[in-house]
Amino acid sequence: MRKYFIAGNWKMNKNAAESVALAEELVRTMGQQYDVDAVICPPFTSLQGVARVIENSTIKVGAQNMHHEQSGAYTGEVSPEMLRHLYVSYVILGHSERRTLFGETDAFINAKVKAALHNRLRPILCVGETLEEREADRMFEVVETQLAGGLDGVEADQTDLLVIAYEPVWAIGTGKTATPDQAEEMHRRIRDWLKKRFSDSVAERIRIVYGGSMKPSNAADLLKNPNIDGGLIGGASLEGRSFADLVKAAAGKSK
Ligand code: PEP
């Protein structure tokens, strides 16, 4: 049984006041949601305000990135301990924008994954191929390399905290969605890889969610696939109504 997981990645959008307003709207409109793990990931500057708003709701808060060290001379960075202190539960790691715009490597992402697990933060590890890589039929190799690098040294007994997000780079913010068949094919492949890397039972427990222009109008077709356990949502999470609709689309479908 895997509970559906829907997370909103607000990216570099919404100042502190706007974030609080959106979080308040979500608490009001979504009610208590026990069938789905609903997570919102505002910018660092909004974490504290949003964490206060969602305190008595079933919504959880996530960060969009972090450094792997606990403290030190890392100007501009934020540590796992700082996130824990703000009651942050999840952290997005290895998002394609971090990989391409900020040069994050699998080894760097791996250090963060291990630091998150060590601090009992739940990593949402993002993997996905570019359009060129898909057209060259290299998508499985690329994603498996990212998984192997990102999860290097991670033990089976730490994986209860882990969420994998398959986000084809060509579908992020472009309005192009992977077809449900393309997404399911990759998710199955990822689960098979997790079986080999850990075990059948571990792989069956890990949520593998889809990201890339997911919205209320295409969610149902994606979510009905056996290996698609939810979504990581960018654009459509910035508007209360559409994020709440995505959570509702996933509700009651626990596998
Ligand atoms: C993302 O950036 O994680 C994402 C999936 O964005 P969008 O939904 O806007 O494609």
Side-chain angles (χ1 to χ4, degrees), residues 7-9 11 92 95-97 126 165-168 171-176 210-215 231-237:
N9 174 10
K11 309 193 184 188
I92 299 171
H95 190 279
S96 66
E97 287 152 17
C126 302
Y166 168 56
E167 299 208 304
I172 295 180
T174 58
K176 277 188 203 156
Y210 170 79
S213 299
M214 191 166 175
K215 44 189 180 283
L232 179 55
I233 326 292
S237 71

Side-chain angles (χ1 to χ4, degrees), residues 164-190:
I164 306 280
Y166 168 56
E167 299 208 304
V169 179
W170 47 273
I172 295 180
T174 58
K176 277 188 203 156
T177 319
T179 64
D181 287 348
Q182 282 173 325
E184 171 61 16
E185 182 185 36
M186 181 62 86
H187 283 229
R188 199 179 328 109
R189 189 84 183 210
I190 293 172

Side-chain angles (χ1 to χ4, degrees), residues 202-215:
V202 165
E204 288 301 334
R205 279 198 301 270
I206 296 177
R207 268 96 54 97
I208 306 172
V209 305
Y210 170 79
S213 299
M214 191 166 175
K215 44 189 180 283

Side-chain angles (χ1 to χ4, degrees), residues 1 6 43 62 142 174 210:
M1 286 284 272
I6 300 283
V142 167
T174 58
Y210 170 79

Side-chain angles (χ1 to χ4, degrees), residues 134-193:
R134 178 160 281 266
E135 284 174 349
D137 209 17
R138 291 186 50 232
M139 61 275 189
F140 298 128
E141 167 202 333
V142 167
V143 166
E144 288 173 359
T145 300
Q146 291 171 342
L147 287 169
L151 296 176
D152 187 39
V154 170
E155 305 291 337
D157 64 2
Q158 296 176 297
T159 55
D160 55 324
L161 300 179
L162 181 67
V163 176
I164 306 280
Y166 168 56
E167 299 208 304
V169 179
W170 47 273
I172 295 180
T174 58
K176 277 188 203 156
T177 319
T179 64
D181 287 348
Q182 282 173 325
E184 171 61 16
E185 182 185 36
M186 181 62 86
H187 283 229
R188 199 179 328 109
R189 189 84 183 210
I190 293 172
R191 201 169 310 282
D192 287 344
W193 186 91

